[in-house]
Amino acid sequence: MSDNPFKARWSMPGNTLCLGHWNISYLDLPITLPRERRDQDMGTENIYNFMDPEDELYREGLGEDEWIIANIDWLSDVFIEHNIPLEESTMRAFYQAVNKEDWRCGSCGGCI
């Protein structure tokens, strides 16, 4: 059981990742992302290779600290709009929630 107040789910699992969008909630209340973020990967760090998810050659994206710094502007706006505490621990929880569901174009193999 996770104590993360955020839940993040990508709407199209499997071989149609690029057709999906983010469903994210904070304490079970839905969050609206900026339009340019709703249907894009989040750029978090992971290995995005459907054929070999252990291959470090396919690791990409920003780690937690770097990601928060790079995305602080729009993330702060979202937090303020949804009355989410604007704290480092909350931003880290957001990163961790989306990182579990993040993806990259081509990472599912659907377009091959």
Side-chain angles (χ1 to χ4, degrees):
M1 176 115 185
S2 172
D3 60 353
N4 191 326
F6 291 96
K7 291 180 185 144
R9 190 178 67 76
W10 185 253
S11 68
M12 295 295 287
N15 292 345
T16 55
L17 289 174
C18 58
L19 302 176
H21 62 271
W22 286 104
N23 292 309
I24 301 176
S25 64
Y26 176 75
L27 299 176
D28 294 324
L29 297 172
I31 293 174
T32 303
L33 294 175
R35 178 168 276 113
E36 65 274 5
R37 297 277 174 190
R38 292 178 195 162
D39 62 355
Q40 302 296 315
D41 71 74
M42 283 286 183
T44 63
E45 182 181 25
N46 212 333
I47 298 171
Y48 299 100
N49 179 352
F50 74 98
M51 292 179 61
D52 188 358
E54 307 285 320
D55 190 342
E56 286 292 329
L57 289 173
Y58 293 94
R59 180 171 294 282
E60 64 177 277
L62 297 176
E64 195 170 293
D65 292 338
E66 297 82 12
W67 188 90
I68 290 169
I69 291 167
N71 292 280
I72 191 94
D73 290 340
W74 72 264
L75 190 58
S76 296
D77 291 344
V78 168
F79 279 28
I80 291 166
E81 179 182 341
H82 293 87
N83 297 312
I84 299 169
L86 197 53
E87 300 171 357
E88 180 183 343
S89 62
T90 317
M91 291 184 177
R92 289 186 183 284
F94 182 92
Y95 176 94
Q96 292 162 15
V98 298
N99 181 246
K100 291 177 185 174
E101 289 283 306
D102 210 356
W103 60 282
R104 292 297 185 276
C105 183
S107 65
C108 66
C111 55
I112 292 178

